[in-house]
Amino acid sequence: DADVTQTPRNRITKTGKRIMLECSQTKGHDRMYWYRQDPGLGLRLIYYSFDVKDINKGEISDGYSVSRQAQAKFSLSLESAIPNQTALYFCATSDPQGQGFNEQFFGPGTRLTVL
Amino acid sequence: GIQVEQSPPDLILQEGANSTLRCNFSDSVNNLQWFHQNPWGQLINLFYIPSGTKQNGRLSATTVATERYSLLYISSSQTTDSGVYFCAVAGGAAGNKLTFGGGTRVLVKP
């Protein structure tokens, strides 16, 4: 089984709809992240969480919210989706005590299309 | 924040050729990772290399932290090496937040 899983893998929705993307991990890492990737570009950080009680905004958090339900689960919500949120979304995890300081490991991605 | 620049932006190789990809960054780092994004969009960890040299099969990487650059070497390229290669760094006050470069798009022709 994959260490970091994301659901759904693909989603098409309409403008104004509320959407939730989910991330689960079995790596036992405390730190989790959400990134988005626009076509032809690198990834940009949306939100990150160092533990269940810690949530921090990244560089592009407007229009998004997150929930850290447990150490292993981190969800990203789009309260009212708009077309320019069409992108590939990645979840990642890291362990500051691991062999590689905060080496991040990524899920398979969720391809979201907002019509 | 840290700026990350990758070069070249595009690379076309004949199968069997060798190549070098470069990543320049603007500040000291405590994390530098190389990824391969395959045609299906998946990000594959290649190296965690904030300093020094590592090798994994036909791939190797070197980071010279004092000069703020990292190199990824691909030897005897194969068609399966096609995709986009990203360098990502974190450091200083940003801690573990990765900043990604724009990527190098590699196409290996048979």
Side-chain angles (χ1 to χ4, degrees), chain A residues 9 31 33 35 37 40-43 45 48 50 88 90 94 99-106 108 111, chain B residues 30-31 33 35 37 39-43 45 47-48 86 94-103 105:
Chain A
R9 295 293 310 280
R31 299 186 175 186
Y33 311 80
Y35 292 86
Q37 182 182 28
L41 300 177
L43 281 67
L45 183 64
Y48 62 101
F50 283 179
L88 185 56
F90 287 97
S94 71
Q99 185 174 2
F101 175 73
N102 272 322
E103 179 180 4
Q104 294 191 19
F105 298 87
F106 285 77
R111 195 170 297 278
Chain B
N30 53 32
N31 181 354
Q33 293 182 242
F35 298 91
Q37 187 167 38
W40 296 270
Q42 291 184 309
L43 275 174
N45 285 39
F47 294 102
Y48 169 82
F86 287 104
N96 54 288
K97 294 183 289 182
L98 285 177
T99 298
F100 281 74
R105 187 174 301 274

Side-chain angles (χ1 to χ4, degrees), chain B residues 31-99:
Chain B
N31 181 354
L32 188 147
Q33 293 182 242
W34 282 98
F35 298 91
H36 175 215
Q37 187 167 38
N38 64 24
W40 296 270
Q42 291 184 309
L43 275 174
I44 300 164
N45 285 39
L46 296 178
F47 294 102
Y48 169 82
I49 188 167
S51 63
T53 297
K54 291 185 177 180
Q55 181 158 4
N56 184 2
R58 296 181 295 102
L59 301 181
S60 63
T62 296
T63 297
V64 183
T66 53
E67 297 187 19
R68 299 181 182 169
Y69 73 88
S70 183
L71 302 174
L72 177 70
Y73 305 96
I74 305 174
S75 64
S76 303
S77 58
Q78 300 177 359
T79 56
T80 52
D81 294 331
S82 296
V84 183
Y85 290 80
F86 287 104
C87 168
V89 305
N96 54 288
K97 294 183 289 182
L98 285 177
T99 298

